[in-house]
Amino acid sequence: AVELGRRYIHTEFVADPDSPAVEAVAYHPVAETKRLDAAGLTESGEVHVALEAERTNNDLKTAAPADFDTMAACGAAEAIWVVMDRDGGHAVLEALNDPAEGPPRVEKTYGNTPPRQFTIDTAGCTAMYTVTWLAKHDDTPTRLGATDTAAH
């Protein structure tokens, strides 16, 4: 999920001449003990795109709000979440709406809407995509695929 997210940042932001992002990196440190799963960095090293690949597990109501806060603190123009599936997207959104501690990070929840159709625009969440959706829109050849293509 992290590598798919990094490639998405590269395709959508780094490859766009109008975007200030010049590099897509995985596991970018942003504070003493915090990091982003992926980031699109500007020429000066500032975070233009923050990305979190979130798995749903038993600490989601604390982990997702903490990740949201980390992304929001970066001041990035885009804060993108990658989730494993539709149910995972709704679980993350629920954890952000009703966290274990602190105020809600987002006000909205959705019924059965695909995460890519969520309309949330706040410092810690501007978009959410499933791994499957990203994979379908990823035109980067896999290592195996590149080898297979070269052999033919």
Side-chain angles (χ1 to χ4, degrees):
V2 171
E3 178 57 19
L4 268 176
R6 188 200 64 76
R7 291 193 314 244
Y8 177 79
I9 291 170
H10 185 272
T11 301
E12 295 297 317
F13 298 95
V14 175
D16 178 355
D18 294 329
S19 171
V22 296
E23 181 182 18
V25 298
Y27 304 114
H28 180 69
V30 291
E32 263 184 48
T33 60
K34 298 183 191 292
R35 66 166 171 73
L36 299 171
D37 284 340
L41 305 177
T42 65
E43 187 86 25
S44 62
E46 292 180 28
V47 176
H48 178 67
V49 181
L51 183 137
E52 177 63 29
E54 193 73 45
R55 292 187 181 274
T56 54
N57 54 40
N58 59 2
D59 72 342
L60 188 62
K61 285 196 169 246
T62 56
D67 292 336
F68 177 99
D69 294 344
T70 298
M71 290 202 296
C74 291
E78 300 288 334
I80 300 168
W81 291 75
V82 177
V83 294
M84 298 304 114
D85 54 28
R86 184 183 293 212
D87 288 345
H90 286 276
V92 167
L93 196 60
E94 174 62 28
L96 295 175
N97 182 263
D98 185 23
E101 296 179 2
R105 303 324 194 264
V106 299
E107 299 298 323
K108 291 183 177 183
T109 57
Y110 292 85
N112 198 25
T113 305
R116 71 181 177 280
Q117 293 178 359
F118 293 171
T119 54
I120 299 171
D121 190 7
T122 185
C125 182
T126 59
M128 189 177 294
Y129 303 109
T130 64
V131 167
T132 302
W133 188 87
L134 282 181
K136 285 180 182 176
H137 293 83
D138 180 27
D139 60 1
T140 306
T142 62
R143 204 163 206 205
L144 178 62
T147 302
D148 288 347
T149 303
H152 294 324

